[in-house]
């Protein structure tokens, strides 16, 4: 579910859903790491998008979506398989509750990107 949320709502939303899932499965440290690595990757990608031409930025943006989708799937796949094996009588949630985190995530993603672009525009005024 985190990979689908990341694809449709952005990497911050995917990180939120992935971290929540990992915490529910008892992997608190891994959940924190997912949030920090996603934040660092997001800043790096946003900075790259600022400096490259628009046509290339679109391709990089699509590639970023794909990369985050795969990353969030891989981040929790093993833990989810272990959880499924240990809880055979329990069915995982259907994922509809993740939509709220998707909306929060996309708003936060846009705020972070806007703030970073504003800072970069002030530091590199001739590049805008």
């Amino acid at each position: 579910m985190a990979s689908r949320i990341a694809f449709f709502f952005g990497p911050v939303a995917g990180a939120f859903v992935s971290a929540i899932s990992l915490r529910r499965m008892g992997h608190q440290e891994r959940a924190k790491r997912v949030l920090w690595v996603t934040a660092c990757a997001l800043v790096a990608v946003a900075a790259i998008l600022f400096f490259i031409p628009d046509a290339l930025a679109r391709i990089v943006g699509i590639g970023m979506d794909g990369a985050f989708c795969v990353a969030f799937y891989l981040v929790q796949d093993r833990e989810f398989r272990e959880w499924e094996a240990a809880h055979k009588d329990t069915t995982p949630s259907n994922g509809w509750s993740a939509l709220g985190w998707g909306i929060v995530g996309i708003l936060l993603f846009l705020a972070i990107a806007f703030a970073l672009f504003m800072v970069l525009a002030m530091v590199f005024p001739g590049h805008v």
Side-chain angles (χ1 to χ4, degrees):
M1 178 51 75
S3 60
R4 285 185 230 137
I5 292 292
F7 181 77
F8 290 110
F9 294 96
V12 176
F16 283 162
V17 172
S18 184
I20 290 167
S21 295
L22 287 167
R23 282 189 187 119
R24 287 180 181 167
M25 291 183 280
H27 300 277
Q28 278 72 17
E29 286 303 312
R30 190 161 174 99
K32 286 180 193 175
R33 202 169 336 132
V34 165
L35 292 173
W36 280 108
V37 169
T38 301
C40 293
L42 178 63
V43 169
V45 169
I48 290 168
L49 291 174
F50 180 80
F51 289 108
I52 62 176
D54 286 342
L56 186 57
R58 295 167 202 255
I59 295 169
V60 171
I62 291 170
M64 176 196 72
D65 266 353
F68 276 112
C69 286
V70 170
F72 289 128
Y73 174 78
L74 294 175
V75 160
Q76 64 187 27
D77 183 52
R78 183 184 50 142
E79 287 82 359
F80 182 68
R81 300 290 166 233
E82 290 172 0
W83 180 87
E84 269 187 325
H87 300 89
K88 292 180 192 258
D89 298 338
T90 307
T91 58
S93 66
N94 63 11
W96 283 105
S97 60
L99 289 179
W101 287 108
I103 293 168
V104 170
I106 197 167
L107 293 174
L108 189 57
F109 172 70
L110 292 173
I112 291 169
F114 179 76
L116 182 63
F117 278 26
M118 292 302 291
V119 169
L120 289 172
M122 286 188 284
V123 174
F124 301 99
H127 194 39
V128 179

